[in-house]
């Protein structure tokens, strides 16, 4: 297993090219199951999760070819051609689903296209229980029948899916995506109310429209879909990664650096940039993206995670690392997942002063962090340890970095290009 070694304490400066968003790319890839024709996605990030999704889609019968730069670890290329003329197998097996919960995103498309699907029930994970009841209830309202057996969700829709009005009792990104994809091939009109408004959903909707779907209400909390008999080929560029943007913005802020994030889109990270400005960080919109710089002191600011357009839960751990060196205190409240504080004991090993009270953590800023051996527990927790390592005095050795490789493309190369002393060690 690889480790990452960081010798911290250097302000970062330079340019970071923001990649396509993992969380947009995964549902977009699953959308290939909705049509007999080819779907081409460009601006695809090189990530382990992208390879896992590609493996899953091949298992269902998709022919997949990648083009562009090849990743070092057999990761995906820059553009991908996904073509599923026939669905050869409707089972998403445990071996793949346990590696990546987003595998549940094949449920809606498989069911809508073939009238059946069998998907291993994703278990809980390091950040919470993460049930999929909203996906199942929504698809049931479109006429599917479900049966749980041997750890699998079995779904059938012998008479096809039929449009309905679905009101989500709580906002879910994945359930919105599954229902949106399924509704595109359902008979008649489907209204989805109280949907998630994350930009990755808008990106999926745009791609589905390019494939011939009829969807209105993009960017609002209600999506209306007119079902079609079939969808067709399309080419679509994956939206830029707002979580990667926020992570590098915080790296610049924490190290007292100056980084331009090219390809970053300001409208996707307004809530994050507002908090950075409040914390004393300079943020400017440039021709190519966003420039983040800090010269003065960092100030403690309170943050609550919320569905988009609020502050994203996927940047909560990184914000905690940032606040760990601020003047004063910060209260960070996690409102999306019940157990997303696994990074805190690791940050404490580096000298951070953080206490957790229920759904909130109280971060009292310290003058210095000190490098230590730490362990990555999930994707965004790992990113917070990288940030802390960049700012800490001395050496930080992060183990279990496969978590980082699930969601950050070439993180050590991007940081090294901005002057970080960071190296991947192959054990
Ligand atoms: C997506 O997960 C992202 N993953 C997550 O990113 C992100 O943290 C999350 O949205 C919230 O923004 C992908 O897009 C692949 P949800 P998802 O359904 O869709 C509860 C990362 O680090 N819920 O919006 O699984 C759920 O337990 C990852 O990149 C139900 O109760 O998130 C959670 O508390 C991690 N029943 C809340 O809703 C359901 O059926 C929001 O989850 C579904 C969800």
């Amino acid at each position: 297993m690889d480790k990452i070694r960081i010798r911290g304490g250097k302000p970062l400066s330079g340019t970071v090219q923001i990649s396509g968003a993992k969380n947009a790319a995964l549902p977009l890839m699953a959308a290939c199951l909705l049509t007999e024709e080819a779907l081409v996605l460009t601006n695809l990030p090189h990530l382990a999760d992208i390879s896992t999704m590609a493996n899953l889609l091949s298992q269902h019968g998709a022919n997949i070819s990648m083009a562009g730069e090849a990743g070092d670890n057999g990761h995906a290329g820059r553009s991908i051609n996904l073509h599923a003329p026939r669905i050869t197998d409707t089972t998403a097996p445990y071996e793949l689903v346990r590696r990546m919960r987003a595998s549940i995103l094949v449920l809606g498309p498989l069911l809508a296209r073939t009238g059946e699907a069998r998907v291993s029930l994703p278990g809980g994970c390091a950040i919470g229980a993460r049930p999929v009841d909203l996906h199942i209830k929504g698809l049931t309202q479109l006429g599917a029948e479900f049966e749980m057996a041997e750890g699998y969700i079995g779904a059938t829709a012998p008479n096809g899916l039929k449009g309905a009005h679905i009101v989500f009792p709580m906002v879910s990104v994945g359930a919105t995506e599954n229902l949106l994809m399924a509704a595109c091939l359902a008979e008649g009109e489907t209204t989805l109310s109280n949907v998630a408004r994350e930009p990755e959903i808008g990106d999926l909707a745009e791609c589905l429209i390019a494939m011939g779907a009829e969807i209105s209400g993009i960017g609002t909390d209600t999506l209306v879909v007119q079902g079609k008999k079939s969808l067709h080929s399309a080419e679509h560029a994956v939206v830029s990664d707002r979580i990667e943007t926020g992570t590098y913005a915080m790296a610049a802020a924490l190290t007292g650096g100056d980084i331009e994030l090219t390809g970053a889109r300001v409208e996707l990270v307004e809530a994050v940039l507002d908090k950075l400005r409040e914390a004393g960080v300079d943020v400017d919109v440039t021709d190519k993206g966003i420039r983040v710089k800090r010269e003065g002191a960092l100030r403690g600011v309170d943050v609550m995670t919320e569905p988009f357009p609020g502050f994203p839960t996927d940047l909560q751990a990184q914000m905690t690392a940032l606040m760990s060196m601020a003047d004063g205190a910060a209260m960070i409240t996690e409102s999306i997942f019940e157990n997303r504080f696994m990074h805190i004991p690791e940050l404490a090993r580096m000298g951070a002063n953080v206490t957790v009270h229920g759904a909130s953590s109280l971060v009292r800023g310290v003058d210095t962090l000190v490098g230590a051996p730490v362990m990555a527990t999930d994707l965004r927790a790992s990113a917070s340890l990288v940030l802390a390592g960049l700012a800490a005095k001395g050496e930080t050795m992060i183990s279990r970095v496969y978590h980082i490789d699930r969601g950050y493309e070439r993180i050590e190369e991007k940081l090294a290009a901005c002057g970080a002393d960071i190296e991947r060690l192959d054990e």
Side-chain angles (χ1 to χ4, degrees):
M1 265 190 283
D2 291 357
K3 290 187 174 186
I4 283 181
R5 181 173 62 203
I6 301 173
R7 295 192 181 97
K10 294 197 174 94
L12 301 184
S13 86
T15 303
V16 171
Q17 173 67 40
I18 299 303
S19 300
K22 164 183 82 89
N23 288 346
L26 295 172
L28 286 166
M29 289 172 74
C32 83
L33 298 174
L34 291 167
T35 172
E36 289 173 7
E37 299 184 14
L39 174 63
V40 175
L41 299 174
T42 58
N43 197 34
L44 194 78
H46 298 156
L47 297 170
D49 274 12
I50 298 297
S51 305
T52 305
M53 182 57 96
N55 290 341
L56 178 59
L57 296 170
S58 330
Q59 142 99 18
H60 296 311
N63 303 315
I64 295 178
S65 56
M66 314 263 192
E69 303 160 34
D72 292 334
N73 309 321
H75 288 173
R78 278 271 166 220
S79 98
I80 192 167
N81 183 306
L82 305 134
H83 186 197
R86 256 180 2 102
I87 303 297
T88 51
D89 188 335
T90 52
T91 296
Y94 175 70
E95 298 75 62
L96 291 173
V97 179
R98 84 185 160 84
R99 265 198 257 158
M100 188 185 67
R101 300 178 48 88
S103 306
I104 190 75
L105 293 169
V106 300
L107 177 62
L110 285 175
L111 193 54
R113 169 113 174 249
T114 69
E116 60 173 59
R118 198 167 156 265
V119 178
S120 175
L121 185 65
C125 74
I127 62 175
R130 306 185 71 185
V132 290
D133 55 315
L134 301 175
H135 304 236
I136 294 174
K137 278 184 196 145
L139 291 167
T140 305
Q141 282 181 266
L142 293 187
E145 288 169 17
F146 284 87
E147 201 180 79
M148 303 293 159
E150 297 161 352
Y152 278 78
I153 305 168
T156 50
N159 303 316
L161 297 175
K162 302 233 163 22
H165 184 184
I166 293 157
V167 183
F168 290 103
M170 65 188 279
V171 172
S172 160
V173 173
T176 301
E177 291 165 343
N178 243 332
L179 268 292
L180 177 62
M181 289 188 279
C184 288
L185 291 185
E187 190 189 320
E189 180 175 287
T190 299
T191 302
L192 304 172
S193 298
N194 196 27
V195 297
R197 287 182 288 158
E198 269 61 8
E200 295 74 28
I201 290 166
D203 200 41
L204 173 64
E206 300 290 357
C207 176
L208 292 168
I209 289 171
M211 294 166 72
E214 204 180 321
I215 301 168
S216 60
I218 297 174
T220 73
D221 65 1
T222 303
L223 292 169
V224 181
V225 185
Q226 309 297 337
K228 301 283 174 195
K229 286 227 161 7
S230 62
L231 298 183
H232 54 68
S233 66
E235 179 171 330
H236 178 84
V238 179
V239 68
S240 86
D241 194 323
R242 64 197 169 96
I243 306 302
E244 191 191 27
T245 301
T247 303
Y248 286 106
M250 289 181 200
L254 185 55
T255 61
D258 182 352
I259 299 185
E260 186 174 19
L261 306 163
T262 57
R265 281 176 48 187
V266 68
E267 70 278 18
L268 309 185
V269 283
E270 299 277 15
V272 178
L273 300 183
D274 285 351
K275 284 295 168 187
L276 291 181
R277 289 192 183 101
E278 215 182 307
V281 179
D282 297 326
V283 178
D284 290 306
V285 179
T286 66
D287 293 348
K288 294 183 186 150
I290 303 169
R291 181 171 171 195
V292 181
K293 180 170 85 166
R294 180 175 65 85
E295 286 169 339
L298 262 180
R299 289 189 291 273
V301 291
D302 295 343
V303 170
M304 157 112 84
T305 65
E306 288 172 319
F308 191 85
F311 190 96
T313 172
D314 290 347
L315 284 170
Q316 182 256 114
Q318 300 89 315
M319 190 68 186
T320 306
L322 180 65
M323 290 293 99
S324 72
M325 291 187 74
D327 283 349
M331 176 77 88
I332 299 190
T333 304
E334 172 57 54
S335 79
I336 309 291
F337 293 108
E338 64 275 21
N339 182 29
R340 211 170 193 181
F341 290 122
M342 302 277 280
H343 49 286
I344 288 175
E346 299 301 307
L347 290 173
R349 306 191 68 252
M350 301 175 72
N353 181 352
V354 188
T355 40
V356 177
H357 305 270
S360 299
S361 66
L362 179 62
V363 189
R364 292 189 177 88
V366 294
D367 290 337
T368 40
L369 295 176
V370 181
V374 287
M375 201 193 289
T377 51
D378 72 76
L379 170 57
R380 309 303 172 185
S382 319
S384 78
L385 300 178
V386 172
L387 295 190
L390 292 169
K393 286 203 174 119
E395 183 174 294
T396 296
M397 186 74 85
I398 305 175
S399 53
R400 302 203 177 164
V401 299
Y402 56 86
H403 289 294
I404 303 184
D405 296 332
R406 292 187 56 183
Y408 289 92
E409 181 175 51
R410 297 181 288 110
I411 189 168
E412 67 277 18
E413 284 174 43
K414 289 188 184 190
L415 289 169
C418 294
D421 184 343
I422 181 168
E423 198 181 357
R424 181 180 289 257
L425 307 173
D426 190 356
E427 273 195 319

